[in-house]
Amino acid sequence: MGEATYDLIVRAGRVFCADTRMDGPGAVAVSGDRIVAAGEEIVGTAGRVFEFPDGVLLPGLVDLHSHPAPSDWKYGIDPDVEILPRGVTTILSQGDCGADDWQFYRDRVIHGSKTRVRLAMSVARGGERVPGTEAFGNVDDLDVDAGVAAIKDGGDLIWGLSVNASVNACGDSDPKLVVQRTLEIAERTGRPILFGNRWDPYDWPISEQLDLLRSGDVLTYCFHSGPNGIVEDGKVIDAALRARDRGVLFDVGHGMSSFDFPTVEAAIVDGFLPDTISTDQYARHVGSDPQHDLPRTISKLLAAGMDERDAFTRATLRPAGVLGMAGEIGTLRGGACADIAVLERNEDAAPLADVVGNSRPGGCYEPVLTVRAGEVVGAAE
């Protein structure tokens, strides 16, 4: 028999796949938009071959909280420009779109992007479209029936619901009413919620908020500092432990205000790791220096004491499962979609900083190759 021929072979000094438990030198072979083989030795030829002896090859990264949307929307960024070249091939929009704009969002953003986009839809009909407004500032826009209809129309493209109980999102509206309406849609459609808790002002205890969440719901912004967080006096609070026990998931959602090194470090020491690592990357991050992205957020978790294998799993296999896409993404198993990221460590990178000015040394992972559905879409020069 003749030697196998592939479209693409990527070799790296380390190949990590939590799904197949591969962790060592190796390569991945791709034909069309599918992974054909991954292992220590790939025998054959390919139209394109990449070699990264100092790189870590992973399944395409999955960001469970970001803001892919038109640039004139409140938080919107172009995912193919700002996210995909950074090793992230699949993202979940946190509430950018509501029922009124669902079909436009589907056509323009989901179908119009190389990046795989899924939506956590806002209960507000207008979502986060209009700059300078609170998404839930007008309770008349919290339309349960419209939300149910949009989700039925969207099918698998709409993962679930998104709600942010903060004063920035609710304005003068009662956050409990906003969350109640979101839960109504979630119950009627059988969908999970990506939940941003209220911590400023301190007028609704975090324990009461967590007690509302159900198995499969995701608390994002889980590592912010100050009151109403999941860490108090250096320990994870009982309400968070109870929530995890009944299946609630915890997501980083870094953003501009939700990553505090002492909080992260206390949680890790307490054995409470995040289920997923996400960026909350949005318009204010465009052009940031250093660039805010998922590889840098992963690096911050490592600097805080998280094991590399745990961190890589929570940016690949684990969020793929949360999205209901295990086996298709987040894996290097043969037959899966050929989404690949290669990262290299830069020990001279800018210090890793949290949102309140604390920093940690330790170097940073940076993207050097992105493959989306078999197509090379980002490669370091």
Side-chain angles (χ1 to χ4, degrees):
M1 294 182 63
E3 191 175 57
T5 301
Y6 308 104
D7 293 326
L8 174 68
I9 293 176
V10 184
R11 296 190 177 94
R14 181 182 180 191
V15 178
F16 179 86
C17 176
D19 183 33
T20 62
R21 300 186 180 181
M22 183 177 181
D23 190 2
V28 175
V30 172
S31 288
D33 66 351
R34 298 286 117 181
I35 293 172
V36 179
E40 186 174 350
E41 293 291 337
I42 297 293
V43 179
T45 60
R48 299 187 75 180
V49 177
F50 289 88
E51 305 270 359
F52 296 97
D54 298 322
V56 181
L57 188 158
L58 301 160
L61 304 180
V62 182
D63 192 332
L64 206 65
H65 179 163
S66 60
H67 290 276
S71 60
D72 59 347
W73 287 24
K74 185 174 182 179
Y75 296 120
I77 55 176
D78 184 337
D80 291 351
V81 174
E82 305 297 339
I83 296 176
L84 185 61
R86 313 297 298 175
V88 179
T89 53
T90 301
I91 54 179
L92 181 66
S93 160
Q94 191 246 357
D96 291 292
C97 174
D100 284 354
D101 298 303
W102 154 243
Q103 293 183 352
F104 170 83
Y105 189 87
R106 177 197 61 200
D107 295 342
R108 169 78 175 272
V109 180
I110 296 179
H111 293 326
S113 301
K114 289 182 179 179
T115 313
R116 183 186 291 101
V117 177
R118 294 294 182 266
L119 175 65
M121 192 184 73
S122 174
V123 65
R125 296 183 66 116
E128 295 281 11
R129 183 180 68 243
V130 182
T133 63
E134 297 101 2
F136 311 121
N138 182 357
V139 295
D140 292 336
D141 287 340
L142 311 180
D143 192 321
V144 172
D145 290 337
V148 170
I151 288 175
K152 289 181 177 178
D153 180 64
D156 292 342
L157 298 179
I158 301 180
W159 167 82
L161 282 300
S162 172
V163 63
N164 185 338
S166 73
V167 69
N168 288 337
C170 293
D172 293 330
S173 298
D174 180 358
K176 296 179 182 180
L177 174 63
V178 176
V179 174
Q180 177 191 346
R181 296 276 176 89
T182 306
L183 281 164
E184 287 180 36
I185 300 175
E187 290 290 339
R188 286 178 55 181
T189 57
R191 298 301 175 95
I193 294 172
L194 185 63
F195 181 80
N197 73 295
R198 188 176 182 90
W199 74 83
D200 183 17
Y202 181 73
D203 57 0
W204 189 12
I206 181 65
S207 59
E208 293 181 8
Q209 297 177 64
L210 285 169
D211 286 347
L212 292 172
L213 301 184
R214 312 153 303 155
S215 179
D217 290 341
V218 181
L219 175 76
T220 192
Y221 310 129
C222 73
F223 289 138
H224 68 80
S225 61
N228 249 18
I230 67 167
V231 172
E232 292 181 0
D233 300 322
K235 302 290 288 183
V236 175
I237 61 175
D238 289 342
L241 299 175
R242 291 197 307 269
R244 171 160 281 181
D245 285 345
R246 68 175 184 275
V248 176
L249 305 173
F250 291 80
D251 172 67
V252 172
H254 185 308
M256 292 286 188
S257 58
S258 302
F259 191 95
D260 173 69
F261 268 121
T263 300
V264 178
E265 289 159 351
I268 291 173
V269 168
D270 218 11
F272 196 94
L273 303 182
D275 292 286
T276 53
I277 300 172
S278 69
T279 61
D280 184 18
Q281 193 169 346
Y282 65 99
R284 286 180 62 190
H285 295 115
V286 173
S288 58
D289 185 16
Q291 177 63 51
H292 177 67
D293 60 12
L294 192 50
R296 176 163 278 267
T297 302
I298 292 169
S299 300
K300 294 180 185 183
L301 270 296
L302 301 179
M306 198 166 174
D307 177 78
E308 275 197 342
R309 290 165 295 183
D310 288 332
F312 291 155
T313 300
R314 284 155 174 79
T316 55
L317 181 64
R318 185 69 66 86
V322 173
L323 291 176
M325 301 186 72
E328 174 70 3
I329 65 172
T331 179
L332 299 176
R333 190 178 296 275
C337 187
D339 291 351
I340 297 169
V342 181
L343 311 180
E344 287 186 356
R345 191 93 172 154
N346 179 2
E347 298 299 340
D348 297 322
L352 302 167
D354 67 12
V355 299
V356 294
N358 300 307
S359 65
R360 300 290 184 270
C364 182
Y365 275 111
E366 297 175 347
V368 293
L369 179 74
T370 306
V371 177
R372 168 74 181 101
E375 179 185 354
V376 176
V377 293
E381 297 298 330

